[in-house]
Amino acid sequence: DQQVKQNSPSLSVQEGRISILNCDYTNSMFDYFLWYKKYPAEGPTFLISISSIKDKNEDGRFTVFLNKSAKHLSLHIVPSQPGDSAVYFCAASIGGATNKLIFGTGTLLAVQP
Amino acid sequence: GAVVSQHPSRVICKSGTSVKIECRSLDFQATTMFWYRQFPKQSLMLMATSNEGSKATYEQGVEKDKFLINHASLTLSTLTVTSAHPEDSSFYICSAHNRGNTEAFFGQGTRLTVV
C-alpha cells in the first residue's frame, strides 16, 4: 500500500526551463510534506517543506505547491540547472518533519545543458 | 545544517554473520532516530523508530530480532543486522532530529552486500 506516489519515474528538461515534479498521497492525515534530493549511494538532502495549512512555499529556485483537496503536491524548480540532476523524493508525515516520514518512489530528474 | 554521520558507508559480509551500522548526530542531541532501507530503484522504506533510552518501534513486516536497534545515547543509534542473508543486501539510511528541528537530517547511508 503505497501511501505516497510519484507517478513519473523520470523527467528530462532543458537547462533554464522549469522542472515540475509531482507527488500524490492517499492518507488525509498527512499534514506535513517535504521534498528531498538524493544522489546514488548518498543520504537524502532536504530541499523544501510545506505544512498543510499552506498551499505554497517558496525558497529561492524551489517552490512547493500543495493541493489538499486533490491530495497532490508539486515541486517547481526555476530555472533548472544541470546540477539539479538527481532523484527527487517527496515525503509526508503526520505531526511534522520530526515524525516518521513516508517516502514516495522518487523521480529521476535530468537537466540537459 | 546539522550533521549526521553514518558508518560504515559500505560493507560486505558473509552470509550468516552480523553487521553493525552506526548513526551519530555530530552537533546536536537526537531524541529520535529513524532507520530506513532502500532497495534498488525503490523508495526509502521506514524500518523502525528509535528513541533514546527506550525500545525501538518497528514497522510492520520488519523482524525486530533480525534488525537490532540500540539508541543508547542522545548522539548514537546502532542497527545490527543479525545472521545476514543475501536478501538483506540493501542501502540502509538513518535520520536524526530533536524536538527543535523542523526537518530530519539524514546520514550518508550504508551499502550492505551479503555474499
Side-chain angles (χ1 to χ4, degrees), chain A residues 11-42:
Chain A
L11 174 68
S12 181
V13 298
Q14 288 293 120
E15 181 178 5
R17 298 289 187 99
I18 183 172
S19 295
I20 300 177
L21 298 104
N22 294 303
C23 179
D24 297 293
Y25 61 96
T26 57
N27 190 342
S28 57
M29 297 296 291
F30 289 141
D31 58 5
Y32 200 82
F33 304 90
L34 308 91
W35 283 94
Y36 284 86
K37 177 180 179 181
K38 186 180 181 301
Y39 295 109
E42 292 185 13

Side-chain angles (χ1 to χ4, degrees), chain A residues 6-84:
Chain A
Q6 293 173 255
N7 291 319
S8 297
S10 64
L11 174 68
S12 181
V13 298
Q14 288 293 120
E15 181 178 5
R17 298 289 187 99
I18 183 172
S19 295
I20 300 177
L21 298 104
N22 294 303
C23 179
D24 297 293
Y25 61 96
T26 57
N27 190 342
S28 57
M29 297 296 291
F30 289 141
D31 58 5
Y32 200 82
F33 304 90
L34 308 91
W35 283 94
Y36 284 86
K37 177 180 179 181
K38 186 180 181 301
Y39 295 109
E42 292 185 13
T45 301
F46 171 75
L47 285 175
I48 192 169
S49 62
I50 188 168
S51 165
S52 61
I53 63 173
K54 295 184 176 182
D55 55 19
K56 177 183 175 181
N57 189 27
E58 193 172 351
D59 184 1
R61 297 187 297 116
F62 302 94
T63 303
V64 56
F65 295 91
L66 175 62
N67 182 333
K68 283 192 298 181
S69 61
K71 294 190 178 70
H72 176 84
L73 64 153
S74 61
L75 174 68
H76 292 210
I77 306 174
V78 181
S80 301
Q81 300 173 353
D84 295 330

Side-chain angles (χ1 to χ4, degrees), chain A residues 38 43 46 97-98 100 103-104, chain B residues 43 59 97 101-103 107-108:
Chain A
K38 186 180 181 301
F46 171 75
T98 56
K100 66 181 184 181
F103 281 85
Chain B
S43 181
E59 295 298 301
H97 65 82
N101 293 148
T102 57
E103 62 174 280
Q108 63 267 51

Side-chain angles (χ1 to χ4, degrees), chain A residues 98 100, chain B residues 23 30-35 46-59 68-74 76-79 94-97:
Chain A
T98 56
K100 66 181 184 181
Chain B
C23 180
T31 51
T32 304
M33 290 185 174
F34 297 98
W35 287 94
L46 179 67
M47 298 175 66
T49 302
S50 169
N51 292 299
E52 187 268 336
S54 63
K55 290 184 178 180
T57 302
Y58 290 82
E59 295 298 301
L68 301 179
I69 292 173
N70 185 2
H71 193 161
S73 76
L74 285 172
L76 174 64
S77 176
T78 60
L79 167 66
C94 69
S95 71
H97 65 82

